[in-house]
DNA sequence: GGTAGGATGGGCT
DNA sequence: GCCCATCCTACCC
């Protein structure tokens, strides 16, 4: 989904009903949508589903705590947490209110506010490295733990549909950097997109006839 | 091209 | 006290 020509046009903000589905459905449906924060925006090209319940990789697996409260709350809100003492990761809460489940946003293809994003990521040499990883994504977009719990169906941090929806090919792979439930194919990405944090292994790439 | 190791702090046992 | 849903640098082909 390289958009070398012209300006990306934004469609409507995704409504709470978009998020009020199971986390795997939401993780797949978010591919090709636009994360927008102020002037900065990017196409979501890589996600991971963190269903609650039996998935021990999910923060919510061990129940309701001060940290996991947001994940059990209403859909369409941001869950932001600190990882490795240094970086922050943005999730979008899925599932109905009272049920745990969220989607980690792992990589964006930047389409707007590039100058601002480069200022926030002075070390990123290539455009492909600006937001290609969960920690890089939050840095580039100016998202911090101050955004934990905010409603992403009402600005300034929102997800929008593109003005012209395009069919999105989806590949599924194991999630990155986890030990529990490491084999479950709950990472979703647009195969061949150069902005993903890591390419899918060829054997795991969905072919057009599989969709 | 590749990988090993360190930085750094909150959550939970 | 241990475990991380990570990133960057140094160093080695």
């Amino acid at each position: 989904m390289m958009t070398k020509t012209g300006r990306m046009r934004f469609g409507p903000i995704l409504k709470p009903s978009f998020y009020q589905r199971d986390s795997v459905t939401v993780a797949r449906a978010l591919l090709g949508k636009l994360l927008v924060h102020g002037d900065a925006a990017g196409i979501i090209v890589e996600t991971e589903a963190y269903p609650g319940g039996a998935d021990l990789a999910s923060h919510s697996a061990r129940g309701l705590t001060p940290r996991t409260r947001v994940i059990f709350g209403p859909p369409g809100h941001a869950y932001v947490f600190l990882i490795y003492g240094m970086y922050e990761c943005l999730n979008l809460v899925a599932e109905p209110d009272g049920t745990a489940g969220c989607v980690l946003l792992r990589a964006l293809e930047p389409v707007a506010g590039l100058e601002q994003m480069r200022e926030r990521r002075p070390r990123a040499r290539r455009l492909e490295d600006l937001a290609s990883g969960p920690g890089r994504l939050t840095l580039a977009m100016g998202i911090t733990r101050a955004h934990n719990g905010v409603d992403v169906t009402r600005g300034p941090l929102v997800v929008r549909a593109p003005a012209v929806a395009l069919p999105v090919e989806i590949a599924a792979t194991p999630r990155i950097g986890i030990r529990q439930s490491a084999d479950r194919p709950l990472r979703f990405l647009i195969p061949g997109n150069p902005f993903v944090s890591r390419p899918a292994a060829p054997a795991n790439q969905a072919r057009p006839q599989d969709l």
Side-chain angles (χ1 to χ4, degrees):
Chain A
M1 193 172 298
M2 296 281 287
T3 55
K4 288 187 184 305
T5 58
R7 235 180 105 87
M8 190 80 187
R9 297 182 60 172
F10 300 170
I13 295 173
L14 302 185
K15 297 172 183 162
S17 58
F18 175 92
Y19 301 96
Q20 192 161 337
R21 297 180 286 173
D22 71 90
S23 53
V24 171
T25 297
V26 176
R28 297 173 64 97
L30 280 169
L31 295 177
K33 302 299 191 295
L34 291 147
L35 182 68
V36 183
H37 187 217
D39 293 333
I43 302 166
I44 298 168
V45 298
E46 179 181 343
T47 62
E48 284 178 359
Y50 285 88
D55 177 40
L56 293 179
S58 297
H59 289 173
S60 56
R62 288 176 183 79
L64 186 66
T65 68
R67 180 171 72 150
T68 62
R69 174 182 55 81
V70 175
I71 310 173
F72 286 86
H77 288 244
Y79 166 55
V80 185
F81 68 93
L82 181 70
I83 186 69
Y84 296 113
M86 279 186 213
Y87 300 102
E88 284 152 309
C89 292
L90 170 65
N91 294 252
L92 302 180
V93 175
E95 312 277 350
D97 192 2
T99 301
C102 62
V103 175
L104 173 69
L105 301 189
R106 286 194 55 92
L108 301 180
E109 175 178 339
V111 293
L114 300 190
E115 190 170 327
Q116 189 178 41
M117 295 170 83
R118 288 187 193 279
E119 287 174 5
R120 293 172 177 145
R121 291 263 305 134
R123 295 239 160 89
R125 186 112 178 73
R126 309 181 311 144
L127 180 62
E128 288 83 355
D129 296 330
L130 256 190
S132 60
R136 294 171 172 181
L137 182 155
T138 54
L139 283 171
M141 294 295 288
I143 294 164
T144 71
R145 279 169 289 169
H147 294 91
N148 188 44
V150 302
D151 185 347
V152 299
T153 68
R154 301 169 174 277
L157 175 63
V158 293
V159 182
R160 290 180 175 274
V164 180
L166 293 176
V168 174
E169 188 178 348
I170 300 174
T173 82
R175 292 170 290 184
I176 304 294
I178 59 166
R179 300 169 45 145
Q180 305 283 345
S181 306
D183 52 334
R184 300 186 69 188
L186 295 180
R187 172 178 177 247
F188 304 102
L189 56 89
I190 299 176
N193 186 287
F195 295 87
V196 300
S197 65
R198 298 168 58 168
N204 286 330
Q205 282 188 7
R207 291 159 170 265
Q209 60 264 31
D210 296 333
L211 296 176

